[in-house]
Amino acid sequence: AFQSLSFVGGTALRFVHGVRRFSEDLDFSVESEEPPAISQLATKINRDLTRQGFDVATSVKVNAPLEVVWVRIQRLLYEAGTTGNPRRKLSVKVEIDTNAPSGARTESKIVQRHAMFALRHHDLPSLMAGKLNAILTRKYAKGRDWYDIVWYLSRRPRVEPNLTLLSNALKQSNSEAIPAEWRRELIRKLDALDPNALRRDIEPFLEESDEIQILDPDRIRVTLAEEET
């Protein structure tokens, strides 16, 4: 799959860079002119998991340009002891953007998480650009987005977003945000946020509950101002 796809989004950030929050889905972007058919990917996922002994079902949903494979595994949660209902399924959403904005830079890395495997992913500036685009164009605020931005801002050496990718992504969304002024755009977004709503959104996804304290709008404003200077 990684011959034509790149791993993006919050789960890529976790797998590749060890960000300390959980995520809900697996996001990919198409990087070639001939990506695999979504039905072929679903069939392969089903076949491979079945061969490993899982009771799995897959379904496909296409809402262009997004293609989604839902992977539902029965009994896994029951056998792990997280539910008393053997019929409850673990659901994993695999989402592929078939019309991803141009300008991303990709890297390949060997990852060791329960198994060793190779994956292609957006580099850190491109991942940051994707996160900025989500914050600036999403109609509602997600604490997970702001947690990730704080993570980017705290990196040393400093990470600067891929402005070419950010510009193309904003154009796709018909956003009037100015890519080069992304710090000021974030500060404007902060002024309209409900801090408690941000914390409620991120709380179930944190490895360490104390990290919820970083989602303080005043603290984020100070960090953005420092970054600008």
Side-chain angles (χ1 to χ4, degrees), residues 157-174:
R158 179 184 296 182
V159 180
E160 291 293 329
N162 179 339
L163 291 182
T164 299
L165 176 59
L166 178 57
S167 177
N168 291 334
L170 292 172
K171 287 177 182 176
Q172 268 194 1
S173 302
N174 297 315

Side-chain angles (χ1 to χ4, degrees), residues 148-204:
D148 290 353
I149 283 298
V150 171
W151 183 89
Y152 283 113
L153 294 175
S154 67
R155 296 282 292 183
R156 294 295 180 271
R158 179 184 296 182
V159 180
E160 291 293 329
N162 179 339
L163 291 182
T164 299
L165 176 59
L166 178 57
S167 177
N168 291 334
L170 292 172
K171 287 177 182 176
Q172 268 194 1
S173 302
N174 297 315
S175 172
E176 297 180 358
I178 301 173
E181 296 185 6
W182 62 269
R183 293 180 183 84
R184 296 179 187 177
E185 299 282 359
L186 289 185
I187 290 174
R188 282 196 284 269
K189 283 280 187 178
L190 275 172
D191 292 338
L193 293 183
D194 177 357
N196 291 326
L198 290 184
R199 296 187 186 103
R200 286 194 298 269
D201 176 77
I202 187 63
E203 188 172 16

Side-chain angles (χ1 to χ4, degrees), residues 128-143:
M128 186 177 183
K131 183 57 62 174
L132 287 170
N133 177 62
I135 290 178
L136 295 177
T137 60
R138 207 186 297 275
K139 297 185 184 301
Y140 55 94
K142 292 178 69 172

Side-chain angles (χ1 to χ4, degrees), residues 14 20-24 143-144 196-209 212 215:
R14 178 172 174 81
R20 292 166 59 83
R21 76 163 178 88
F22 297 104
S23 189
E24 286 185 308
R144 283 158 279 176
N196 291 326
L198 290 184
R199 296 187 186 103
R200 286 194 298 269
D201 176 77
I202 187 63
E203 188 172 16
F205 296 89
L206 294 178
E207 283 191 25
E208 298 292 338
S209 58
I212 202 169
L215 286 188

Side-chain angles (χ1 to χ4, degrees), residues 6-26:
S6 284
F7 202 11
V8 299
T11 315
L13 199 62
R14 178 172 174 81
F15 269 61
V16 179
H17 296 285
V19 68
R20 292 166 59 83
R21 76 163 178 88
F22 297 104
S23 189
E24 286 185 308
D25 49 22
L26 304 172

